[in-house]
Amino acid sequence: GMEGATELGINQMAIDIHKPVRQLGQHRVQLSESVSEAYRAFTKAAGVTMSTLVQFAWSVVLSQYSRSDEVIFGTTVSGRTA
């Protein structure tokens, strides 16, 4: 079970909460049409949404950085019922 916050084991930049978020930076990756289609086909065959696939990928990243088989993270959903 979870016993506390997940330590990611990476250097964390000091964040000034009074400065704009742009201080954190941004990185954009554009997938090719063939890769996007492969992901769409996979999610359709698996019966999951693209959002579920992205959340799975994020859980793998967190698991690798934290060196833990168990990770917890949340998402915000607005205006949609379960």
Side-chain angles (χ1 to χ4, degrees):
M2 301 303 292
E3 296 178 7
T6 301
E7 297 292 332
L8 296 181
I10 58 176
N11 292 332
Q12 295 181 349
M13 173 176 82
I15 298 172
D16 183 346
I17 62 170
H18 302 291
K19 289 189 177 181
V21 174
R22 70 175 176 253
Q23 165 187 349
L24 300 177
Q26 198 177 107
H27 186 77
R28 179 180 286 217
V29 175
Q30 186 167 349
L31 302 176
S32 69
E33 185 60 36
S34 62
V35 170
S36 295
E37 182 53 41
Y39 287 152
R40 281 191 287 272
F42 174 81
T43 58
K44 184 176 180 179
V48 299
T49 65
M50 188 66 72
S51 177
T52 301
L53 181 62
V54 170
Q55 290 177 40
F56 167 74
W58 182 239
S59 72
V60 171
V61 169
L62 292 176
S63 178
Q64 291 296 307
Y65 275 110
S66 67
R67 294 185 178 107
S68 175
D69 292 335
E70 296 179 341
V71 296
I72 297 175
F73 64 93
T75 61
T76 302
V77 178
S78 176
R80 299 199 313 183
T81 58

